[in-house]
């Protein structure tokens, strides 16, 4: 590990934290940090004086946004990171960011660049879904999307909706909120030859609209510097804006993961997503959204193995949405037609909700998926109350069928036939006789996996808030009809097991420690489930407990400090055995408890951020999510994030 003496840490903190800095009135910074202008006007303009230059671009210049009124709270099961929160996060990829959501279990096939999935409450293929600007990212080389490839650049916010029977991740591209050109540069390095680079460039007034270009790369030599891996990508988007009511955008995302071919085949995988989207505000409260999206994967240019298990067909979707938003009430209907093997042919959905301010809120959805001559319907609903005397309550349920996408391997090349074989009328070499045409031939028939699965789940609980104190608890129950492997390379041949009913409890809390230090708090969150031997990817416990510090200093708010020291972990769990041919426990392997201490210090000075973060401070050696794929014993990283405005 790269040495970092305690004196250096003390000096770093003492130089950045003023001894008698006045605390800010609030610990929440604005969503968009705009540094002071470089030029100061000698005289303030009068209120009625028009200082707007007609040649200046009109801001904002974005596509009309879809309504998302369900608040991001623990009780509603929604978590959201805006641009400011993403820059403040410890996460390097979407997979690492999702680990911050309570109850989500990470399934890592190795270090950075190796396949990774997440699950919760028995959710698997078809119930872990990722959307980018409204279009679903189709699973291509598995039953779920490999989240280690997806970087956190060029995004305005990420919204995670953890339903009892489904996990939905919505990524929204960067929105233009300032007339100036925006740039963000992030660089970092650390142990195990780990390096990180992110770059974002956004022009709010170019080519008839706005332009976004984002690059990201993270690479490492892996555990013991013997397992090289990398994940990198590029995101290019051009938006044409003709009025504040309509716009057209096209975008290209290209994501690559690279690992040793001796560990996973192929070693180099490229994914590309093309999207064309148009939105038009038909009325003040009615919005139409249409899109065409295409997803594809391919082995890297250096891959020479013709038998690489990579799907050679793309998956496409054409969709239309109508959304209505009338203050505290909203509704959204959707229809999608999907092409390509391995997933549903069509999707129809209806979502709606509303709130009585200060009292109660509710939302519900129904979604139908059709696949060949089969179909399935899934229902979801939630109700939550606003705090009364500090107490609030919620109940949420989901039931129905969902289509299960799966990996479609390319067909192997046909076996070469002899020039003079039985098919040409020659005698059989073994019997010397012509084959009997009526004799049955035992040939295995190709069988597609079941297209739908069923699940019923609910969550009910309450929360208490008073000042900075927050305490919450909930009862959980889930009953899927099957437990499926993710379909990623580390469990692609794992068998599907029958599901069982399982119950548990969930808790979270925040205790302010302002008497010790303003901005300091003790936080905790976790789940405890009943014992279910043979439940794949379902540990009995998961937790995250930490001391967290966050404060903003000076009237200018030009200095901000974050600090975290905590421990995240989960209990032992069963995982599908790759290539397992038996049933029950014969098809599963058990991995031990996984827990790691972490720490982070980050400081923002105006628009520049300096960070240092540590993983697995206790040097725990046996952390693994897949048998034999040991995670790094420890790692320290440090770097800088710098926002620039032209």
């Amino acid at each position: 590990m790269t040495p970092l003496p305690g004196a250096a840490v003390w000096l770093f903190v003492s130089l950045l934290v003023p001894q008698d800095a006045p605390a800010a009135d609030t610990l929440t910074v604005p969503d968009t940090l705009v540094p002071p202008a470089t030029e100061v006007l000698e005289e303030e303009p009068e209120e009625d004086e028009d200082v707007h230059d007609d040649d200046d671009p009109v801001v904002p210049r974005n596509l009309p946004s879809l309504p998302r009124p369900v608040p991001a709270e623990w009780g509603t099961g929604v978590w959201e990171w805006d641009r400011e929160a993403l820059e403040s996060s410890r996460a390097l990829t979407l997979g690492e960011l999702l680990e911050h959501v309570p109850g989500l279990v990470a399934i890592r096939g190795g270090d950075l660049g190796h396949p990774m999935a997440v699950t919760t409450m028995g959710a698997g293929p078809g119930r872990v879904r990722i959307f980018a600007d409204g279009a679903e990212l189709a699973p291509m080389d598995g039953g779920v999307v490999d989240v280690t490839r997806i970087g956190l650049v060029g995004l305005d916010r990420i919204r995670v909706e953890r339903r009892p029977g489904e996990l939905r991740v919505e990524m929204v591209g960067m929105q233009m909120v300032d007339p100036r050109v925006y740039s963000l540069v992030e660089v970092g390095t650390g142990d195990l030859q780990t390096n990180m680079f992110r770059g974002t460039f956004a022009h709010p007034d170019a080519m008839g609209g706005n332009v976004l270009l984002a690059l990201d790369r993270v690479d490492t030599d892996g555990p013991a510097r013997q397992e090289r891996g990398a994940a990198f990508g590029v995101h290019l988007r051009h938006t044409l804006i003709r009025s504040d009511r309509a716009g057209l955008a096209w975008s290209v995302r290209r994501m690559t993961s690279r690992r040793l071919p001796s560990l996973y085949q192929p070693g180099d995988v490229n994914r590309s997503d093309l999207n064309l989207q148009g939105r038009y505000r038909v009325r003040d409260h009615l919005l139409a959204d249409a899109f065409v999206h295409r997803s594809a994967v391919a082995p890297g240019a250096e891959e020479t193995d013709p038998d690489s298990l990579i799907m050679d067909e793309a998956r496409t979707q054409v969709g239309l949405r109508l959304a209505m938003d009338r203050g505290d009430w909203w509704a959204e209907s959707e229809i999608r037609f999907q092409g390509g093997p391995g997933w549903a042919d069509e999707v129809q959905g209806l979502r709606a909700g509303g709130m009585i301010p200060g009292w109660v809120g509710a939302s519900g959805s129904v979604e139908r998926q059709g696949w060949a001559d089969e179909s399935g319907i899934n229902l979801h609903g939630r109700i939550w109350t606003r705090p009364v005397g500090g107490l609030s309550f919620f109940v949420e349920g989901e039931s129905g069928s969902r289509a299960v996408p799966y990996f479609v391997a390319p067909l192997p090349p046909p076996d070469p036939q002899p020039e003079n074989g039985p098919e040409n009328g020659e005698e059989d070499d073994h019997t010397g006789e012509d084959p009997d045409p009526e004799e049955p031939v035992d040939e295995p028939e190709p069988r597609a996996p079941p297209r739908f699965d069923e699940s019923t789940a609910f969550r009910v609980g309450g929360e208490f808030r008073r000042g900075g104190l927050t305490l919450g608890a909930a009862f959980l129950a889930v009953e899927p009809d099957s437990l499926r492997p993710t379909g990623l390379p580390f469990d692609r041949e794992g068998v599907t097991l029958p599901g069982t009913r399982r119950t548990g409890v969930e808790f979270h809390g925040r205790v302010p420690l302002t008497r010790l230090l303003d901005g300091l708090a003790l936080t905790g969150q976790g789940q405890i489930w009943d014992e279910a031997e043979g439940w794949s990817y379902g540990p009995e416990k998961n937790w995250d407990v930490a001391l967290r510090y966050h404060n903003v200093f000076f009237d200018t708010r030009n200095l901000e400090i974050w600090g975290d020291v905590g421990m995240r972990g989960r209990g032992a769990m069963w995982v599908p055995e790759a290539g397992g041919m038996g049933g029950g426990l014969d098809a599963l392997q058990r991995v031990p408890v996984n827990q790691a201490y972490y720490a982070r210090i980050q400081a923002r000075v105006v628009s520049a951020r300096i960070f240092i973060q540590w993983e697995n401070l206790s040097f725990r050696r046996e952390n693994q999510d897949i048998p034999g794929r040991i995670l790094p014993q420890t790692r320290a990283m440090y770097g800088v994030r710098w926002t620039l405005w032209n």
Side-chain angles (χ1 to χ4, degrees), residues 4 6-17 561-562 601-603 609-612 614 639:
L4 187 62
V9 177
W10 175 86
L11 179 62
F12 173 81
V13 177
S14 62
L15 288 175
L16 291 176
V17 181
I561 305 292
W562 293 262
I601 300 174
Q602 183 172 208
R609 301 167 186 260
I610 304 171
F611 68 89
I612 305 175
W614 297 265

Side-chain angles (χ1 to χ4, degrees), residues 12 28 31 40 74 90 111 115 119 126 182 215 217 245 280 284 351 411 441 469 512 530 595 600:
F12 173 81
T28 303
D31 288 345
V40 180
W74 180 81
R90 302 187 308 272
D111 199 9
T119 184
Y182 170 90
L215 307 170
R217 179 184 176 93
R245 303 182 68 91
Y280 175 62
D284 290 342
R351 294 176 286 274
L411 295 175
V441 179
L469 175 66
D530 59 3
Q595 66 179 23
R600 181 268 301 256

Side-chain angles (χ1 to χ4, degrees), residues 263-280:
L263 299 176
Y264 296 111
Q265 285 285 350
D268 192 353
V269 181
N270 298 322
R271 176 186 175 117
S272 60
D273 287 86
L274 309 177
N275 189 65
L276 176 63
Q277 184 175 43
R279 288 181 179 173
Y280 175 62

Side-chain angles (χ1 to χ4, degrees), residues 489-510:
F490 51 72
D491 68 359
R492 183 161 288 155
E493 298 177 0
V495 298
T496 298
L497 301 174
T500 58
R501 179 179 173 84
R502 199 172 186 190
T503 59
V505 293
E506 180 180 22
F507 58 88
H508 93 120
R510 181 183 185 275

Side-chain angles (χ1 to χ4, degrees), residues 40-54:
V40 180
L41 298 176
E42 295 182 0
E43 296 183 1
E44 293 292 337
E46 299 293 336
E47 292 184 2
D48 58 351
E49 182 180 350
D50 185 6
V51 296
H52 175 69
D53 187 349
D54 292 338

